[in-house]
Amino acid sequence: MSFVHRFIHPLFLTHAAAVGLALGAAQYSGLGADTLMAAEPDRQRQLVITDSKGDRGMLAPYVHRKNGIAYLYTSYIFDTLVSQDADGNPAPGLARTWTRSEDGLSYDLELQPDAKWHDGTPVTADDVAFTLRYMAEHPYVFGSVKSLAGVEVKGTHDLRIHIKRAEYGLVEGLFSAIPILPRHIYEGVEDPFRFATSDAAIGSGPYRLAAYDKAQGRYRLEATEDHPLGRPRFAQIWIVKMGPDAALQAMSTGEVDVISYLPPDRLPEALGAGFAVETSPSDHVLRLGFNHRGQFQTKEVRQAIAYAVDRSALLVTAFPGIAELAETGYFQPGSKWQSEEATEGYTYDPARARDLLLATGWTQNSAEPLASAGRGDPPAAPHGWA
């Protein structure tokens, strides 16, 4: 049972000219709709983003690094069926429309008729069907197709996706997470986890990968001028490896627009320089858990440990100023997926922890290390319990 839950709030730093341009509600899983799809004639020519970690792998499904930022970069290049609007609601992506059947066991989708792969080949329903079947054979880390029962191609740009049982969240989940692959590129690839040539990065997204320097951890993305959702605001996006101090200096001289992560101790410097700092919840909770075997097989023992841990103290010590105490459970307040049923919060309560341990046969001895009655030789535990 997990009992330590927190929100972590990454800090993003932007140049005044770029506030909100890569940090708002997600479109293509990261850039705001007003960022990517602006049509004004005086659009900026390039956006420069720093990444202190550097190389995130080839920006292609299966070979990018298995973390959120690598998936985000890849989402600029590969479209998903469904995107998001500025408020985080489902919006057309590669699919122009989608309709759920009355019994909830199928979805009919109509694709954007003028969507193309970056090599000029038209995107068709056959590509989508291929992707779903291919990912059943080669699971993708950021989306599972196990809930699907099959797919039918109904026309050049029309298809029907069948699911095993009616469920909600498919549009916001699977349809929004799976990058659609070009069949003519991936069909002959037997091991996509080793497919890292430039062809692997041919997508249908608003940007194409124009250059990638693995050693330097540097990427250059160029706008897809004829993307079906409109012309991107930036002609180019550069992603460059740069530490926080160097990035702050480069931002001061106007060479950098967005610093993707700012350590909390650099915040005063950034604010003093007049930069705009944006914070955003990661929507991930950190959990401290343990197995259910041995001494931990008794629920009351696990509960006692949960009550004995001062999560607020851990929060202040380990994540000062960049996190908040989360509720028990993965989904947090504000999520439509959070259960309405109340869950035990496990607030810091040493007295209750002691009572639970005593009730399970443990005894307290201020002079001896912890040992459990009748359970063999347990591992060491907090001083004063037996």
Side-chain angles (χ1 to χ4, degrees):
M1 182 187 69
S2 302
F3 58 86
V4 176
H5 302 265
R6 302 185 186 89
F7 268 149
I8 303 302
H9 293 255
L11 299 178
F12 297 89
L13 183 63
T14 71
H15 191 275
V19 172
L21 296 186
L23 305 172
Q27 173 84 348
Y28 296 105
S29 304
L31 294 180
D34 57 344
T35 299
L36 283 175
M37 299 303 144
E40 55 268 46
D42 59 341
R43 64 173 179 162
Q44 299 181 45
R45 294 301 301 167
Q46 69 177 19
L47 179 74
V48 180
I49 303 172
T50 69
D51 185 335
S52 60
K53 298 295 184 181
D55 179 43
R56 299 290 181 171
M58 172 63 73
L59 300 186
Y62 294 106
V63 292
H64 63 66
R65 297 284 185 264
K66 293 180 176 61
N67 53 49
I69 193 67
Y71 174 85
L72 172 64
Y73 295 160
T74 303
S75 74
Y76 302 161
I77 298 170
F78 284 82
D79 279 325
T80 55
L81 291 171
V82 176
S83 186
Q84 293 179 339
D85 63 19
D87 297 318
N89 300 311
L94 196 54
R96 182 161 65 174
T97 65
W98 55 91
T99 305
R100 185 174 184 260
S101 64
E102 290 187 5
D103 62 8
L105 294 177
S106 68
Y107 284 82
D108 287 335
L109 290 83
E110 178 190 3
L111 303 184
Q112 304 283 357
D114 50 352
K116 295 180 181 179
W117 300 107
H118 294 152
D119 63 4
T121 305
V123 177
T124 68
D126 195 47
D127 291 304
V128 178
F130 165 77
T131 298
L132 300 178
R133 292 165 183 154
Y134 192 78
M135 289 189 173
E137 183 179 353
H138 307 285
Y140 180 58
V141 67
F142 283 101
S144 172
V145 298
K146 291 182 179 180
S147 62
L148 303 186
V151 56
E152 294 179 70
V153 174
K154 311 291 285 186
T156 303
H157 300 105
D158 300 281
L159 69 153
R160 177 171 295 164
I161 297 176
H162 299 274
I163 60 178
K164 296 176 181 177
R165 62 179 182 274
E167 61 178 75
Y168 288 94
L170 203 66
V171 171
E172 296 90 340
L174 177 64
F175 292 175
S176 299
I178 292 292
I180 303 304
L181 307 174
R183 178 173 182 173
H184 67 287
I185 298 292
Y186 277 81
E187 188 169 29
V189 178
E190 295 182 359
D191 185 359
F193 298 97
R194 295 181 180 273
F195 184 38
T197 67
S198 58
D199 282 350
I202 293 177
S204 63
Y207 289 90
R208 69 177 184 86
L209 183 62
Y212 166 44
D213 187 326
K214 181 178 178 64
Q216 296 294 324
R218 178 173 297 185
Y219 303 85
R220 187 177 85 249
L221 280 58
E222 294 186 351
T224 304
E225 297 294 340
D226 58 350
H227 193 273
L229 295 185
R231 189 178 70 167
R233 170 172 294 179
F234 300 102
Q236 293 184 344
I237 294 179
W238 285 84
I239 303 168
V240 298
K241 181 180 181 180
M242 192 177 294
D245 292 330
L248 283 169
Q249 179 60 36
M251 182 169 281
S252 298
T253 59
E255 299 173 85
V256 166
D257 300 300
V258 176
I259 299 175
S260 61
Y261 176 76
L262 180 68
D265 60 356
R266 302 297 199 282
L267 181 59
E269 179 182 352
L271 293 174
F275 299 141
V277 178
E278 300 286 340
T279 64
S280 174
S282 67
D283 291 331
H284 291 287
V285 291
L286 298 185
R287 300 181 295 276
L288 177 60
F290 41 81
N291 63 44
H292 290 198
R293 299 186 298 273
Q295 290 190 99
F296 300 125
Q297 65 184 333
T298 304
K299 180 178 67 175
E300 289 75 17
V301 172
R302 301 194 300 270
Q303 292 175 330
I305 296 175
Y307 286 118
V309 173
D310 189 345
R311 295 186 296 153
S312 296
L314 288 176
L315 191 71
V316 173
T317 302
F319 306 103
I322 60 169
E324 63 186 42
L325 204 61
E327 291 188 4
T328 303
Y330 186 83
F331 294 109
Q332 298 297 307
S335 170
K336 64 181 180 181
W337 303 111
Q338 187 184 34
S339 172
E340 296 180 356
E341 297 181 6
T343 56
E344 176 59 64
Y346 295 104
T347 55
Y348 180 52
D349 192 339
R352 189 168 182 181
R354 180 186 64 245
D355 292 343
L356 283 167
L357 288 174
L358 291 173
T360 57
W362 292 56
T363 59
Q364 185 172 8
N365 187 326
S366 61
E368 299 294 335
L370 181 132
S372 58
R375 292 186 176 86
D377 297 320
H383 180 77
W385 280 94

